[in-house]
Amino acid sequence: MKVVITAQRAAWDAPVDARFGRARTFVLIDTESRELQEIPNSQALDATQGAGVQAAALVCRTGAEALVTGHCGPKAFAALAAGGVKVFTGAEGTVADAVTSLVAGQLHQADAADVAGHWV
Amino acid sequence: MIVAIASGKGGTGKTTVALSLALAAGRPVRLLDCDVEEPNCHLFLDGEVVAREEVFLPTPAVDTGACTACGLCGEICEFGGIIVLPTGAHVFPTLCHACGACVHLCPAGALREVPRRIGELTEMRAGSITLFTGRLDVGQTLAPPLVRAVRARGEGNGLVIIDAPPGTSCPVVAAVHGADVAVLVTEPTPFGLHDLELAVEAVRRLQVPFGVVINRAGAGDARVADFCAREGISVLLEIPQERRIAEAYARGLPVVTAAPELRPAFCSLLDGLDRLRTPAVARAHMGS
């Protein structure tokens, strides 16, 4: 399974970034082959508004089946749902920890946003 | 004459000045409450709402059958208001600034504009004052189009007083742009001066002649007065720091009601603004 994880940098030992829209970076991981690829989140990081929506569009374009992050707001969640990407929130520790938890079925698949949206 | 009452800092007395100016004018005046995120002029007036209308913004809607997911609308949108997934375009209305570019450019003709309510505009009559109030709906963020809708009620002749939003960002520009003259209300404190400097920069760029009103005069120090002297800015009026005025304001009474002795000062302020707007040379010609 291909999954996108929000991270502080693109490495297995990097801490998970709890933010989705303004995550420092994304890593695209193939849980079978253990391949890791960085997907820079620069466009959303520079956005004055709508970072979550932009980041969601980016994740959808990677072809990933799931997103693993700390928190996800309503507009980003709607965009990810439209793109058919499953959202797992509440991830902690390193990227490797997050992948282990996901594969072990220990992460909660969100059926809605877990935080409120920003006004702008 | 269109007078915009503005300030860099919030809570300096814009509404105080706008209301008192309108009440002291002694003639019919249109008061435009352009602080659409928190309009408050109506709280101080005893009047009747005579008209109410909804304000809409055109927002794109997707015809999913026609969308080819080409991606052009998502690329052109500066505000992330529309994204394109393999399944087609998706609109996020509250991020849309209603520029219309996506609808104009869509090669498949899959986008059309539908009206989306952002707020309402009310008209209230209170004696010689006709108050127009813009009120942005909760959850909406795009104030300038609503500010412009309120401003449109100030067209034509006669005295128009605008209570602008605080700050120096887009809603303020929408409220002050095109006014004949502006009043920048400030208080004699370091914070007041800091935000006054920003406001001065903004109105200068908008090329609106302006003067300063110092509210709560005596509460701070001389730094605002010194700044105005240095910059050649007229201080048109000083409203003294008085508990009586603050108490009246808290009860919903305008300053000129609580402190009638200040009424002539507001009449003079209006005359001063008229002089500011008309350069001396033009006045000399008119007199001859």
Side-chain angles (χ1 to χ4, degrees):
Chain A
M1 173 169 67
K2 280 167 106 182
V3 10
V4 168
I5 298 174
T6 53
Q8 298 284 353
R9 43 194 175 80
W12 286 97
D13 63 350
V16 167
D17 193 332
R19 299 163 300 176
F20 171 58
R22 299 204 186 264
R24 196 71 70 81
T25 194
F26 293 134
V27 285
L28 177 64
I29 285 171
D30 186 320
T31 53
E32 279 91 48
S33 70
R34 309 289 285 175
E35 211 176 299
L36 180 149
Q37 184 195 344
E38 178 166 25
I39 310 285
N41 187 29
S42 42
Q43 194 191 354
L45 277 174
D46 290 343
T48 51
Q49 63 166 34
V53 168
Q54 291 298 326
L58 178 63
V59 169
C60 291
R61 284 198 293 273
T62 64
E65 212 177 295
L67 165 74
V68 177
T69 187
H71 303 285
C72 183
K75 289 198 281 286
F77 189 87
L80 291 160
V85 177
K86 294 176 200 145
V87 178
F88 293 87
T89 52
E92 288 172 343
T94 64
V95 169
D97 294 338
V99 171
T100 307
S101 307
L102 177 71
V103 172
Q106 289 164 348
L107 288 180
H108 170 69
Q109 185 180 342
D111 52 9
D114 73 322
V115 286
H118 303 293
W119 293 114
V120 173
Chain B
M1 174 166 69
I2 301 176
V3 182
I5 316 295
S7 75
K9 185 180 173 301
T12 54
K14 283 181 299 301
T15 302
T16 295
V17 171
L19 280 164
S20 293
L21 211 50
L23 288 165
R27 53 182 150 132
V29 49
R30 277 171 289 167
L31 179 57
L32 311 184
D33 196 339
C34 288
D35 192 2
V36 302
E37 289 177 80
E38 41 194 352
N40 61 346
C41 286
H42 62 282
L43 299 174
F44 299 86
L45 295 172
D46 190 13
E48 194 186 338
V49 174
V50 294
R52 187 182 293 272
E53 70 176 57
E54 297 178 290
V55 179
F56 296 90
L57 265 193
T59 306
V62 186
D63 176 350
T64 46
C67 178
T68 61
C70 73
L72 190 59
C73 55
E75 279 168 41
I76 203 73
C77 185
E78 179 68 22
F79 304 101
I82 188 161
I83 58 164
V84 183
L85 305 175
T87 47
H90 294 263
V91 179
F92 292 84
T94 55
L95 298 178
C96 173
H97 283 222
C99 72
C102 57
V103 176
H104 181 74
L105 291 170
C106 178
L111 294 172
R112 69 197 157 85
E113 286 180 331
V114 293
R116 177 172 65 90
R117 185 188 142 124
I118 57 165
E120 65 173 19
L121 202 169
T122 54
E123 177 178 350
M124 182 199 243
R125 296 271 163 75
S128 59
I129 298 176
T130 305
L131 170 68
F132 293 95
T133 300
R135 184 185 301 273
L136 198 64
D137 286 343
V138 171
Q140 297 298 330
T141 57
L142 208 58
L146 184 52
V147 171
R148 285 191 285 272
V150 181
R151 275 295 306 270
R153 300 311 179 93
E155 280 168 12
N157 295 325
L159 179 60
V160 174
I161 296 171
I162 298 165
D163 191 8
T168 51
S169 62
C170 301
V172 179
V173 172
V176 176
H177 181 71
D180 294 314
V181 62
V183 176
L184 301 182
V185 186
T186 188
E187 55 186 32
T189 61
F191 200 179
L193 174 61
H194 175 270
D195 289 359
L196 173 65
E197 288 177 349
L198 297 176
V200 164
E201 212 178 314
V203 291
R204 276 183 177 154
R205 200 163 298 188
L206 291 169
Q207 299 187 318
V208 175
F210 67 95
V212 162
V213 166
I214 300 177
N215 191 15
R216 302 181 60 210
D221 52 32
R223 67 185 78 208
V224 166
D226 292 346
F227 166 76
C228 291
R230 225 167 35 237
E231 292 284 320
I233 298 167
S234 313
V235 175
L236 303 164
L237 173 68
E238 297 192 24
I239 303 169
Q241 158 86 341
E242 271 186 39
R243 189 174 176 90
R244 179 179 52 131
I245 295 174
E247 281 177 357
Y249 188 85
R251 283 201 306 272
L253 293 176
V255 172
V256 288
T257 310
E261 73 278 9
L262 284 174
R263 188 175 278 264
F266 279 98
C267 293
S268 310
L269 172 58
L270 212 47
D271 294 338
L273 290 170
D274 207 20
R275 283 195 296 275
L276 260 183
R277 137 180 108 124
T278 324
V281 178
R283 279 205 308 278
H285 281 292
M286 277 189 280
S288 63

